[in-house]
């Protein structure tokens, strides 16, 4: 009887490989085993949803020594452990890699890498894990490929690029320009493993992995922690899109930054991590901001963030605010639409269909969408004036319905998430080739990796919630190769727009504290207070 119980427990105990590339210790609850796991170093972390402890691969030896007789090792983990016992040969020294990069040579297509691209390639070659966070439009793709070419010339390495599907043609063109062979995969189809020879992983639009709860983040971390990985270079113009350090943590974990090896400690120190009592019990929250100056100092060696004004002589970008005042009769119609939304939400809250405490945010979102429709007349007039002057214009909105209405009135190119990637690229090509002078796009599609520098004017029907999305949209047009300056027109109607614009300024200030070239102090603003003030005015 005792032997059968022991066999049953052993069959339920194992050391496995988690989706994020950590060692998962699976076992039924046992006070002695739990106490032993807490003593393991490097430290592990209890993963409640997975019902097991998770440890970095560096803890494999201690775990096997402590539990090897009782815990089976799965085949997937055994393969990783076998590779760890046979490490890859060291890479050449930095000066050899830089010499092999041929950074001063012209490319086959006649281009000459710019000074900041050459220095960026040298910076990458000195690091096995790094985040290249240059502003949009500075040519991060070419910078990374120049460094990758040097790596391939000096070592047995294959190049794997993770990028959104819509950017694959751009990566292929740039790779052909530098004479580099690479493999492209999308964020939706990340591989589970890497070949034995060794891989350089280049991750484009790395801000796609800013949530530790997302499956694609786990898939990326699994590749980043793979024993056959040579180096990982993350590319993003917005490493902290919403101004929260919690969004930066997955990127730091992927490059194995020391401060990201313990998520709980990171969240306690930089994200105001704390337990909060709720109806369903305690819940861990880590969405705050703290110790930004210290975080800035510790991350600067592995995050390179340069602004256009620092490294290139681009034409200036300026913003013009267009306040809109509705006529009295139109204003009554606007208020009536908002009242209907409030009444409907409260009715659904009484039926238990929605949360009653989420009413302010729901009303605010509805106000933004309604305001976007009421701004169409002003937007149409502005577009007409710009077209009369011979300008090409890109207009962004977060909502599809206003874009469709505007497209019916003025025509042009319409680009939304309902189109296939090929159709979006065709719309961009027609606009860039001068076949159309107006491109109407949602933030989620038009601001993703496309080059729209033919436009000299960008109209924002309303602003997105995050500074990262705002910069992605505006800087699609403010890029290398543009001629004259860029003017960004902000249409503003009512307190909802004023609130979001204020939030953007507050979040952008946090990002500047972390990534900016100089130290700054941070003046905090309370989001709940701002929302309440907005709704009171409305």
């Amino acid at each position: 009887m005792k032997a059968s119980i022991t066999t049953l427990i052993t069959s339920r105990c194992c050391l496995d490989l988690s989706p994020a590339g950590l060692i998962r210790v699976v076992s039924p609850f046992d006070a002695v085993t739990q106490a032993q796991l807490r003593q393991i170093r490097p430290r592990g972390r209890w993963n409640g949803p997975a019902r097991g402890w998770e440890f970095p691969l560096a803890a494999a030896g201690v775990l096997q020594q402590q539990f090897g007789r009782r815990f089976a090792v799965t085949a997937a983990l055994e393969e990783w452990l076998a590779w760890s016992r046979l490490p890859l040969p060291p890479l050449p020294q930095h000066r050899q890699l830089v010499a092999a990069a041929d950074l001063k040579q012209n490319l086959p297509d006649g281009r000459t890498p710019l000074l900041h691209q050459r220095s960026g390639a040298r910076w990458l070659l000195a690091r096995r894990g790094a985040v290249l966070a240059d502003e949009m439009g500075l040519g991060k793709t070419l910078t990374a490929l120049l460094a990758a070419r040097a790596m391939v010339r000096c070592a047995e390495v294959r190049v794997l690029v993770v990028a959104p599907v819509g950017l694959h043609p751009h990566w292929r063109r740039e790779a052909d320009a530098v004479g580099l062979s690479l493999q492209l995969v999308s964020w939706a189809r990340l591989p589970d493993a890497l070949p034995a020879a060794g891989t350089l992983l280049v991750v484009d639009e790395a801000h796609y992995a800013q949530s530790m709860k997302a499956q694609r983040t786990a898939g990326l971390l699994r590749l980043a922690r793979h024993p056959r990985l040579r180096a990982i270079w993350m590319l993003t113009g917005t490493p902290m899109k919403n101004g929260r350090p919690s969004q930066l943590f997955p990127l730091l974990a992927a490059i194995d930054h020391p401060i990201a090896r313990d998520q709980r400690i990171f969240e306690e120190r930089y994200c105001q991590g704390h337990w909060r009592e709720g109806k369903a019990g305690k819940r861990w929250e880590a969405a705050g901001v703290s110790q930004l100056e210290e975080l800035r100092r510790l991350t600067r060696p592995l995050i390179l963030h340069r602004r256009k004004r620092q490294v290139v002589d681009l034409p200036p970008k300026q913003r013009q605010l267009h306040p809109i005042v509705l006529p009295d009769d139109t204003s009554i119609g606007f208020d009536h639409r908002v009242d209907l939304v409030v009444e409907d939400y409260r009715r659904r809250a009484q039926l238990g269909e929605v949360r009653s405490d989420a009413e302010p945010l729901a009303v605010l979102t509805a106000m933004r969408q309604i305001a976007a429709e009421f701004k169409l007349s002003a937007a149409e007039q502005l577009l007409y004036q710009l077209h009369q002057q011979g300008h090409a214009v890109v207009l962004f909105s977060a909502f599809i319905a206003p874009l469709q209405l505007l497209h019916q009135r003025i025509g042009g190119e319409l680009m939304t998430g309902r189109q296939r990637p090929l159709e979006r690229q065709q719309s961009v090509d027609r606009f860039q080739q001068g076949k159309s002078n107006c491109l109407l796009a949602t933030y989620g599609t038009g601001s993703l990796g496309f080059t729209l520098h033919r436009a000299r004017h960008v109209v924002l029907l309303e602003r997105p919630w995050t500074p990262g999305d705002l910069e992605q949209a505006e800087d699609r047009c403010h890029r290398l190769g543009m001629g004259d300056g860029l003017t960004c027109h902000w249409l503003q109607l009512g307190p909802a727009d004023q609130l979001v614009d204020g939030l953007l300024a507050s979040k952008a200030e946090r990002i500047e504290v972390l990534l900016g070239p100089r130290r700054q102090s941070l003046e905090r603003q309370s989001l709940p207070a701002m929302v309440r003030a907005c709704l009171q005015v409305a």
Side-chain angles (χ1 to χ4, degrees):
M1 181 68 175
K2 183 177 180 180
S4 63
I5 294 176
T6 303
T7 303
L8 176 62
I9 293 176
T10 303
S11 65
R12 296 171 59 189
C13 300
C14 69
L15 302 180
D16 194 10
L17 188 64
S18 78
L22 298 172
I23 299 177
R24 177 176 294 168
V25 181
V26 181
S27 71
F29 180 80
D30 170 26
V32 175
T33 301
Q34 297 295 314
Q36 292 173 332
L37 289 170
R38 291 190 180 93
Q39 300 301 316
I40 297 294
R41 296 294 182 273
R43 189 193 308 269
R45 183 171 183 262
W46 171 257
N47 187 334
R51 307 297 299 172
W53 283 79
E54 292 182 343
F55 291 86
L57 197 62
V62 181
L63 287 170
Q64 285 186 298
Q65 182 179 1
Q66 186 79 28
F67 304 104
R69 295 182 179 180
R70 295 189 292 133
F71 285 46
V73 179
T74 62
L77 178 58
E78 182 57 47
E79 183 181 44
W80 277 42
L81 296 178
W83 277 331
S84 299
R85 291 189 288 268
L86 297 172
L88 293 165
L91 288 170
Q93 294 183 351
H94 180 246
R95 62 175 178 270
Q96 293 177 263
L97 292 171
V98 172
D102 288 335
L103 297 175
K104 295 183 179 180
Q105 297 295 323
N106 289 345
L107 301 179
D109 60 6
R111 286 183 295 167
T112 301
L114 299 176
L115 179 61
H116 74 274
Q117 292 174 319
R118 299 199 298 268
S119 64
R122 288 193 293 268
W123 184 85
L124 287 174
L125 288 171
R127 291 157 177 81
R128 299 299 167 258
V131 179
L132 181 60
D134 286 345
E135 271 191 330
M136 283 71 68
L138 287 179
K140 292 187 291 293
T141 302
L142 181 58
T143 300
L145 289 174
L146 290 171
R149 183 178 64 178
M151 191 85 79
V152 170
R153 288 175 174 177
C154 294
E156 187 178 356
V157 174
R158 74 153 189 168
V159 180
L160 175 65
V161 176
V162 178
V165 174
L167 300 185
H168 285 193
H170 171 66
W171 274 94
R172 291 192 185 96
R173 288 193 298 268
E174 292 293 85
D176 291 342
V178 300
L180 181 65
S181 175
L182 52 79
Q183 179 186 357
L184 279 162
V185 297
S186 70
W187 278 95
R189 297 183 179 275
L190 294 175
D192 293 330
L194 298 177
T199 298
L200 165 63
L201 182 61
V202 181
V203 184
D204 195 13
E205 305 292 340
H207 52 267
Y208 273 35
Q210 288 192 335
S211 171
M212 289 297 290
K213 298 179 181 179
Q215 291 184 357
R216 62 188 178 194
T217 302
L220 175 66
L221 291 176
R222 185 184 180 101
L223 294 177
R225 291 163 173 159
H226 199 283
R228 311 318 278 178
L229 184 74
R230 281 292 201 177
I232 176 171
W233 298 334
M234 317 276 282
L235 314 183
T236 173
T238 52
M240 206 167 69
K241 288 182 66 175
N242 208 21
R244 294 176 178 173
S246 60
Q247 297 174 323
L248 186 63
F249 176 81
L251 278 63
L252 297 176
I255 64 175
D256 195 28
H257 195 293
I259 65 173
R261 290 172 184 168
D262 192 313
Q263 184 177 352
R264 181 58 56 83
I265 292 178
F266 181 93
E267 291 174 343
E268 288 176 348
R269 183 147 189 86
Y270 304 113
C271 309
Q272 296 180 339
H274 63 281
W275 290 102
R276 181 177 179 180
E277 292 285 353
K279 295 181 180 179
K282 290 184 178 180
R283 184 178 62 181
W284 180 257
E285 290 193 355
V289 178
S290 60
Q291 306 292 337
L292 275 185
E293 181 57 40
E294 177 183 294
L295 183 60
R296 172 183 182 271
R297 176 174 54 84
L298 294 175
T299 57
R300 281 183 72 84
L302 296 180
I303 299 180
L304 180 60
H305 177 71
R306 297 173 293 185
R307 299 192 181 280
K308 297 187 184 79
R309 63 176 179 267
Q310 295 174 288
V311 295
V312 293
D313 187 20
L314 273 182
K317 178 179 76 172
Q318 60 178 344
R319 290 170 174 167
Q320 288 186 7
L321 185 65
H322 298 260
I324 298 174
V325 179
L326 298 177
D328 291 342
D329 55 344
T330 307
S331 181
I332 293 174
F334 178 86
D335 293 340
H336 179 65
R337 289 274 303 274
V338 174
D339 290 341
L340 291 177
V341 170
V342 174
E343 292 174 4
D344 180 67
Y345 191 91
R346 290 176 177 173
R347 178 186 60 80
R348 294 168 61 198
Q350 290 178 350
L351 296 175
E353 297 176 356
V354 294
R355 293 172 49 184
S356 59
D357 58 351
E359 178 182 324
L361 184 59
V363 173
L364 181 62
T365 302
M367 288 176 62
R368 279 166 47 82
Q369 186 166 4
I370 295 170
E373 297 179 14
F374 276 77
K375 284 183 280 189
L376 288 182
S377 178
E380 187 175 355
Q381 293 179 13
L382 177 60
L383 291 175
Y384 177 78
Q385 294 173 3
L386 295 174
H387 288 158
Q388 286 293 102
Q389 299 170 11
H391 296 301
V393 185
V394 177
L395 183 143
F396 285 102
S397 176
F399 307 105
I400 295 178
L403 292 178
Q404 291 176 327
L405 290 172
L406 198 57
H407 184 251
Q408 293 173 4
R409 297 181 187 178
I410 66 173
E413 299 294 333
L414 178 64
M415 192 161 62
T416 71
R418 297 175 181 176
Q419 297 168 302
R420 293 177 299 177
L422 178 60
E423 294 174 330
R424 300 176 202 169
Q425 186 62 55
Q426 290 172 344
S427 295
V428 171
D429 292 342
R430 286 192 293 268
F431 176 79
Q432 285 291 95
Q433 294 167 6
K435 298 178 181 178
S436 174
N437 283 333
C438 183
L439 176 66
L440 310 175
T442 57
Y443 287 106
T445 55
S447 62
L448 176 62
F450 295 111
T451 296
L452 304 170
H453 57 42
R454 177 171 172 259
R456 296 293 173 266
H457 294 266
V458 176
V459 179
L460 305 184
L461 198 59
E462 75 290 314
R463 265 61 64 204
W465 285 104
T466 69
D469 289 331
L470 174 64
E471 292 183 9
Q472 288 274 4
E474 291 182 339
D475 287 355
R476 290 303 110 198
C477 306
H478 194 230
R479 307 177 72 81
L480 295 174
M482 68 180 301
D484 299 329
L486 179 71
T487 303
C488 303
H489 303 268
W490 289 23
L491 304 185
Q492 189 180 79
L493 171 62
D497 280 349
Q498 295 171 9
L499 169 66
V500 174
D501 293 347
L503 282 174
L504 287 171
S506 177
K507 294 174 181 178
E509 189 178 5
R510 296 180 193 170
I511 296 172
E512 185 65 23
V513 169
L514 180 64
L515 300 177
R518 295 181 297 275
R519 293 186 178 184
Q520 293 189 4
S521 60
L522 180 64
E523 181 179 350
R524 301 186 184 278
Q525 299 187 45
S526 169
L527 174 59
M530 294 175 72
V531 173
R532 286 194 297 270
C534 167
L535 296 180
Q536 287 173 0
V537 172

